[in-house]
Amino acid sequence: MEHVLSNRNHEIHVSCFKLFAVYPFPPSFLTRLIRYPNEHNVKEVDVDLEFHRYQPFKLSTFSSDTTQKLKLRAPLDFGDSLKLDCEWVLPVLKTLHLVCPPHISDYKLTVSCLMCLPALTTLRLDGVKLPESLSSMCLPVLTSLSVKRCKLPEEVWDFPNLLSLELDDVRLPENMDDFFSALVSVRDVTLYFTKRFKHDFTICCPQLVHLKIGTRLISSSFDREIMVVAPKLYEFCCMGIFKVILDVDELENASIKVWDTNQFNNATLRQKMLAYRPFINTLSKLKIANILTLDSAMIEGLSAVLVYLTRVPSPFKNLKHVKLPRGCEESSISTALRKYLLGGNPGATFVTALPQVAHTRACASLINSFTLQGRLFEDAIGSWNFLHILQ
């Protein structure tokens, strides 16, 4: 490594620098490695220090006038870095991904750290403690936010241009209704729960188009209710079994899957019945869907509660297609389940591939063909995501 860094042709541009350290480097050499991207105008930097005996690095160590994408899984000094040292200068940084190393317990982000990032459009935080007060934080062009393994603060965030939000294994505050109401521009929301939350809440987002909610909890222990108020909702995906009420004008695609198929396969018939019986009420809330997509575990689970399905009429009045998973034949669907799924609309059918799949693939191909040119369009479209513009 010393030979390469010392003897390479420095006239040749380096676009990406990735450092993964499993074993301890000498501190002086490690510092030189980390500073190398800044000295050579690298645009993408990824530092992952698996070895846990390093002292916390000051944020100014990663200052750069050229870095546009930065991922750090390393011990960082968030406390006095900005007070005692020069500022954390990243004027053109667009993507920041911070991951708390497993051996560090206190990894608390400060508001001042984010205020020095005027061009930030994508922020991903994993295991990072968030500041309680966010009133002074201003990220005017932030469009994508992902938060994992942390507690959300009580104070409502003000991100008027946010288009995409992901919350994964987070502790929710009591004012989640206010939290979502403030997201006036968000189009994509993904929520993953591994723990119970204490209060019902409402996802009220006027521009919401895609919503995914997943939980490993079973309905018997997941007794809280999520209400969705989204007049423009196009696609809803639920992974797991929970209670949800949709207050939407129309819904193109509803996808229902089991998160942990191993847990499902090991469950007894009685356990499946106890878990899926309350879920029938949730299914009825998806009655406006045009397309219903099921996985094999969900089909088996519904088959386990046929005694309850036969007592209620099919709620799916708008249904056009039920998409079956790969390997599942239409002939394997029982008469009772068929009646429940398709009985609401005589024209509804089972399919293994949606009729518009060719159009979808054509759009995907078009998007992929523009991927290499994405950076050329980036400045022109401002804070809007290129994919959203195509849609």
Side-chain angles (χ1 to χ4, degrees), residues 184-195:
V184 295
S185 300
V186 72
R187 292 168 51 92
D188 300 273
V189 173
T190 300
L191 306 176
Y192 292 128
F193 299 105
T194 57
K195 303 178 181 66

Side-chain angles (χ1 to χ4, degrees), residues 340-371:
Y340 175 75
L341 294 174
L342 305 183
N345 185 357
T349 60
F350 287 109
V351 296
T352 54
L354 299 178
Q356 65 268 33
V357 68
H359 173 69
T360 302
R361 288 177 178 173
C363 291
S365 176
L366 176 63
I367 293 171
N368 290 333
S369 69
F370 278 103
T371 299

Side-chain angles (χ1 to χ4, degrees), residues 69-348:
K69 185 175 182 180
L70 176 62
K71 180 179 180 181
L72 299 177
R73 187 176 182 266
L76 299 175
D77 179 10
F78 290 107
D80 297 330
S81 297
L82 299 179
K83 298 177 181 179
L84 303 179
D85 197 16
C86 60
E87 291 185 352
W88 190 25
V89 180
L90 291 160
V92 298
L93 186 70
K94 296 182 178 181
T95 300
L96 175 62
H97 187 183
L98 298 178
V99 183
C100 177
H103 60 279
I104 297 180
S105 58
D106 189 13
Y107 207 71
K108 188 172 182 179
L109 188 68
T110 61
V111 174
S112 55
C113 295
L114 299 179
M115 292 179 64
C116 301
L117 310 175
L120 192 67
T121 60
T122 300
L123 176 61
R124 301 184 62 188
L125 303 174
D126 186 348
V128 180
K129 295 182 180 179
L130 300 175
E132 291 297 329
S133 176
L134 297 172
S135 58
S136 59
M137 185 169 67
C138 180
L139 297 174
V141 296
L142 187 70
T143 58
S144 179
L145 175 63
S146 175
V147 181
K148 184 177 181 180
R149 297 187 302 131
C150 74
K151 177 184 177 182
L152 292 183
E154 293 287 342
E155 187 173 332
V156 176
W157 295 347
D158 183 17
F159 299 142
N161 294 314
L162 192 68
L163 299 176
S164 175
L165 173 68
E166 178 181 359
L167 302 178
D168 185 355
D169 191 18
V170 299
R171 293 177 58 186
L172 304 179
E174 296 184 7
N175 60 336
M176 283 303 294
D177 292 6
D178 298 332
F179 178 88
F180 282 108
S181 297
L183 304 177
V184 295
S185 300
V186 72
R187 292 168 51 92
D188 300 273
V189 173
T190 300
L191 306 176
Y192 292 128
F193 299 105
T194 57
K195 303 178 181 66
R196 296 180 61 184
F197 50 85
K198 300 179 180 180
H199 306 278
D200 300 342
F201 65 87
T202 300
I203 301 175
C204 183
C205 300
Q207 302 299 324
L208 185 62
V209 177
H210 303 283
L211 174 62
K212 178 184 290 186
I213 303 177
T215 179
R216 290 189 176 91
L217 300 171
I218 60 175
S219 58
S220 58
S221 63
F222 192 77
D223 54 355
R224 295 301 176 183
E225 190 172 77
I226 302 173
M227 185 171 183
V228 180
V229 181
K232 295 185 179 181
L233 191 65
Y234 180 86
E235 183 176 21
F236 173 64
C237 176
C238 62
M239 300 174 61
I241 304 173
F242 51 88
K243 299 176 182 179
V244 63
I245 297 178
L246 296 181
D247 183 5
V248 299
D249 296 336
E250 57 183 68
L251 185 64
E252 178 65 20
N253 192 358
S255 178
I256 309 174
K257 302 178 181 180
V258 173
W259 187 323
D260 191 345
T261 54
N262 292 328
Q263 183 182 19
F264 173 85
N265 294 332
N266 295 330
T268 65
L269 179 61
R270 176 176 173 79
Q271 289 173 331
K272 293 177 182 179
M273 292 182 67
L274 290 175
Y276 278 76
R277 182 180 177 184
F279 191 62
I280 297 175
N281 184 51
T282 294
L283 275 175
S284 66
K285 308 303 180 183
L286 304 177
K287 59 185 179 181
I288 61 174
N290 293 328
I291 301 171
L292 186 63
T293 302
L294 305 174
D295 68 352
S296 56
M298 186 59 64
I299 292 176
E300 184 180 344
L302 294 177
S303 300
V305 293
L306 284 179
V307 63
Y308 303 111
L309 294 180
T310 56
R311 300 175 185 176
V312 296
S314 174
F316 305 109
K317 305 299 182 181
N318 298 337
L319 196 64
K320 297 177 181 178
H321 305 289
V322 175
K323 185 179 182 301
L324 301 177
R326 180 179 299 180
C328 180
E329 300 293 336
E330 182 179 347
S331 57
S332 65
I333 306 298
S334 67
T335 302
L337 183 55
R338 175 190 297 267
K339 183 178 180 181
Y340 175 75
L341 294 174
L342 305 183
N345 185 357

